């Protein structure tokens, strides 16, 4: 059994290795000719290279030791077996059951949850096939457009994946409305025919104000043009009892259990829009990719385990080296919603102040995650990545192949740029090299030095690269599950509960109390003067 002091000793050793690493240069670690082999792993057809970091053998040993001391493997097994590891909500954590295509029993409170999950999956497939084949129609004929109304996990997962897999679309066009800002709804509805539009109301709780407001407004929009708006409506929720007020019949309600967290829900009913867009077969491929990552995560030794290594590299950079943020940089334009998706996955899961025991976290919480696809980011914020005084560990992602064989030269350029960035971040450019450049530009004397200084890149900036064959539904499933498990491992090691999200509640409560003020009601005494002044201005701009 691991004691708290084993864990603290393991942390101390990571911090100590990181202190040493701060004075080392990544490029020098490549003097060891085996480095690339030793600090990269291949699994499920993907290659994860973390050799361009400061991690050496001693550092990795300390990180693996930390994972052992934190009991990552036993807590992982507890999660898969249906234990109530979400302690603050007293719930199991079983989004993995949604992609358990093997159907092997998964027990929650002595009941196998798989028959129900597989039955719902079959119902989703039947419905999606009917929509795609024109067997389920709108009041004006075949469904041409689908609008998913949801927010957070009820939007980001299906929106990200639907965008990522656009080469596989052969169903109706899918749109996503999340923001309570009427602009979102208006811009989507602008081009749609209400008589051939299917509305999906996606909300785990069916109480989220944005989704309920958007749902009511879209049904009103439909009611002007069709006799029975609810007949073109589907609900996806764990609160199936609350769906009734929308008049949606049970055959078009797809339920899931409360042990599927919102940000982990794309694998089940919340993925219906994706399934309609790409078809049940490709959706099953997506699930199969997730399932394959689960099998790998459960079976691979820690040192060869993709999610574990990704998590350890993350902890090394944030907790060890002290870098407060990390950039996710997919060199895959269709993954342009992935950074937003990962922001929810990582920051809603691991952005906590206390541990499982309710005490302040001894080593802080997860990092700030941000990003943008390459090469666009290169022409925006990469300046800071290369020469800014903050160091941002970069996580590159790149596919060997694109989906446009006629434009293969674009893809070559994309790959070259991705590789060039990680190389440049690591190698940098010395003052003497910069001086040569300045001299070749005709500068001399003091001007040469001044000009050269602007062209120096310190280098020694860490990055990892995840390379995969091609962005197919299966590969996307692998990537999403990889990141889910990475977040889980980081959360276990930090000692926090990755599966609640109390931090979003306060703002929601205050918004509810402020709305009447904006409608002209008298403010309550506890409204802050600044807020009051802003509210007054926003009601009637001066
Ligand atoms: O406010 C945060 C949150 O609860 C997320 O965790 C969730 O994904 C999102 O809101 C939407 O919730 P729901 O699916 O219940 O509408």
């Amino acid at each position: 059994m691991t004691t708290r002091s084993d864990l603290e000793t393991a942390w101390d050793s990571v911090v100590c290795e990181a202190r040493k690493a701060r004075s080392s240069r990544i490029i020098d670690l490549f003097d060891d000719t085996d480095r690339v082999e030793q600090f990269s792993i291949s699994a499920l057809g993907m290659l994860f290279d973390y050799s361009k970091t400061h991690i050496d053998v001693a550092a990795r040993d300390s990180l693996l030791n930390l994972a052992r001391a934190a009991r990552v493997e036993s807590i992982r097994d507890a999660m898969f077996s249906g234990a109530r590891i979400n302690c603050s909500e007293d719930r199991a954590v079983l989004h993995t059951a949604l992609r358990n295509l093997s159907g092997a029993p998964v027990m929650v409170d002595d009941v196998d949850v798989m028959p129900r999950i597989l039955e719902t999956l079959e119902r989703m497939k039947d419905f999606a096939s009917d929509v795609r084949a024109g067997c389920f129609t709108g009041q004006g004929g075949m469904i041409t457009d689908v609008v998913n109304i949801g927010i957070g996990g009820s939007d980001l997962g299906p929106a990200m994946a639907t965008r990522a897999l656009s080469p596989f679309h052969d169903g109706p066009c899918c749109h996503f409305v999340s923001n309570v800002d009427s602009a979102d709804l208006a811009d989507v509805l602008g081009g749609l025919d209400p008589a051939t539009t299917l509305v999906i109301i996606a909300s785990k709780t069916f109480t989220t104000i944005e989704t309920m407001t958007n749902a009511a407004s879209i049904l009103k929009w439909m009611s002007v043009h069709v006799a029975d708006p609810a007949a073109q409506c589907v609900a996806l929720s764990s609160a199936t009892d609350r769906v009734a007020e929308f008049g949606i019949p049970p055959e078009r309600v797809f339920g899931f259990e409360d042990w599927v967290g919102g940000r982990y829900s794309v694998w089940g009913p919340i993925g219906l829009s994706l399934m309609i867009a790409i078809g049940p077969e490709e959706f099953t491929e997506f699930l199969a990719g997730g399932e394959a990552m689960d099998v790998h995560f459960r079976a691979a030794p820690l040192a060869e385990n993709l999610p574990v290594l990704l998590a350890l590299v993350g902890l090394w950079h944030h907790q060890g080296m002290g870098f407060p943020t990390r950039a996710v940089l997919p060199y895959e334009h269709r993954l342009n919603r992935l950074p937003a998706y990962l922001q929810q996955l990582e920051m809603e899961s691991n952005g906590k102040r206390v541990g499982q025991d309710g005490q302040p976290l001894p080593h802080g919480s997860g990092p700030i995650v941000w990003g943008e696809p390459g090469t666009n980011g290169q022409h925006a914020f990469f300046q800071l990545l290369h020469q800014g005084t903050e160091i941002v560990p970069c996580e590159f992602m790149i596919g060997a192949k694109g989906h446009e064989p006629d434009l293969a030269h674009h893809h070559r350029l994309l790959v070259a740029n991705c590789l060039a960035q990680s190389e440049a971040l690591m190698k940098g450019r010395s003052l003497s090299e910069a001086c040569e450049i300045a001299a070749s530009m005709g500068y001399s004397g003091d001007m040469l030095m001044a000009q050269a200084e602007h062209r120096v890149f310190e280098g020694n900036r860490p990055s990892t690269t995840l390379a995969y064959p091609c962005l197919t539904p299966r590969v996307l499933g692998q990537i999403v599950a990889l990141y889910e498990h990475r977040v889980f491992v980081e959360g276990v090691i930090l000692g926090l509960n990755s599966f609640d999200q109390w931090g979003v509640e306060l703002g929601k409560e205050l918004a509810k109390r402020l709305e009447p003020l904006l409608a002209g009601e008298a403010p309550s005494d506890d409204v802050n003067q600044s807020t009051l002044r802003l509210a007054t201005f926003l009601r009637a701009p001066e």
Side-chain angles (χ1 to χ4, degrees), residues 159-160 163-164 330 332-341 371-373:
M160 176 278 291
R163 171 80 182 110
E332 179 86 50
H333 193 69
R334 294 187 180 103
L335 284 180
N336 63 347
R337 295 295 286 153
L338 186 73
Y341 174 81
E372 179 75 16

Side-chain angles (χ1 to χ4, degrees), residues 149-156 202-212 236-238 256 261-265 270 344 348 500-501 504-505 508:
I149 304 276
I151 197 165
S154 299
D155 164 75
L156 286 164
S203 174
K204 177 175 169 179
T205 55
F206 242 72
T207 57
T208 306
I209 191 76
E210 291 91 337
T211 302
M212 295 302 107
L236 319 173
S237 185
S238 338
F256 55 100
R263 52 196 174 275
Y264 301 87
S265 61
I270 295 293
Q344 188 198 17
E348 195 165 82
D500 59 13
Q501 57 283 320
V504 298
E505 294 304 322
K508 285 186 196 173

Side-chain angles (χ1 to χ4, degrees), residues 434-435 438-439 442-455:
C435 283
Y443 292 108
S444 61
D446 287 352
M447 275 306 276
L448 184 144
M449 269 325 269
Q451 286 291 331
E453 284 292 356
H454 289 285
R455 290 164 175 80

Side-chain angles (χ1 to χ4, degrees), residues 148-152 155 176-186 209-211 213-214:
N148 184 85
I149 304 276
I151 197 165
D155 164 75
F176 294 86
V177 174
S178 55
N179 204 323
V180 77
D181 185 338
S182 50
D184 199 6
L185 189 65
I209 191 76
E210 291 91 337
T211 302
T213 306
N214 278 324

Side-chain angles (χ1 to χ4, degrees), residues 464-479:
T464 60
T465 301
L466 180 71
Y468 47 84
C470 185
L471 192 64
T472 58
R474 183 176 283 257
V475 167
L476 182 68
Q478 291 179 188
I479 292 174

Side-chain angles (χ1 to χ4, degrees), residues 327 329 370 381-388 392 394 425 461:
L329 306 166
W370 58 284
F381 53 80
F382 272 52
Q383 164 65 41
L384 180 147
L385 298 185
H386 286 287
Q387 289 189 315
V392 181
C394 294
L425 285 164
R461 298 186 173 211

Side-chain angles (χ1 to χ4, degrees), residues 66-305:
L66 178 63
R68 276 182 219 107
R71 300 188 306 118
V72 163
E73 284 164 300
S74 63
I75 300 174
R76 170 199 66 195
D77 294 345
M79 174 175 76
F80 277 95
S81 72
R84 292 174 184 268
I85 63 165
N86 174 353
C87 59
S88 75
E89 296 177 311
D90 191 25
R91 286 177 188 164
V93 173
L94 276 176
H95 50 280
T96 50
L98 299 175
R99 55 193 186 226
N100 173 23
L101 296 173
S102 76
V106 176
M107 309 302 284
V108 176
D109 298 333
D110 298 327
V111 176
D112 180 10
V113 299
M114 285 315 301
R116 190 130 172 226
I117 287 175
L118 294 175
E119 184 205 319
T120 304
L121 179 60
E122 285 313 308
R123 286 182 52 230
M124 285 169 65
K125 287 180 180 175
D126 289 346
F127 180 70
S129 301
D130 284 353
V131 170
R132 288 161 55 84
C135 301
F136 175 91
T137 59
Q139 284 146 81
M142 184 141 176
I143 296 293
T144 53
D145 294 274
V146 175
V147 181
N148 184 85
I149 304 276
I151 197 165
S154 299
D155 164 75
L156 286 164
M160 176 278 291
T162 302
R163 171 80 182 110
L165 298 176
S166 63
F168 297 85
H169 288 197
D170 53 4
C173 197
C174 287
H175 313 264
F176 294 86
V177 174
S178 55
N179 204 323
V180 77
D181 185 338
S182 50
D184 199 6
L185 189 65
D187 286 355
V188 166
L189 297 189
L192 303 190
D193 176 356
T196 58
T197 296
L198 175 72
V199 175
I200 297 179
I201 308 174
S203 174
K204 177 175 169 179
T205 55
F206 242 72
T207 57
T208 306
I209 191 76
E210 291 91 337
T211 302
M212 295 302 107
T213 306
N214 278 324
S217 297
I218 197 168
L219 289 179
K220 196 167 166 205
W221 167 79
M222 284 185 111
S223 67
V224 176
H225 304 275
V226 302
D228 184 4
Q232 281 172 229
C233 218
V234 174
L236 319 173
S237 185
S238 338
T240 42
D241 47 328
R242 295 208 188 99
V243 171
E245 69 189 73
F246 283 84
I248 303 169
E251 66 271 19
R252 286 202 308 283
V253 177
F254 298 90
F256 55 100
E257 300 297 326
D258 66 2
W259 34 254
V260 177
R263 52 196 174 275
Y264 301 87
S265 61
V266 63
W267 311 97
I270 295 293
L272 184 65
S273 48
L274 172 65
M275 190 193 268
I276 293 175
I278 65 175
E281 274 180 31
E282 295 295 359
F283 186 83
T284 307
E285 277 290 290
F286 172 66
L287 297 183
E291 184 184 38
M293 186 55 71
D294 293 343
V295 171
H296 166 82
F297 180 46
R298 296 178 81 174
L302 294 182
E304 292 157 34
N305 196 306

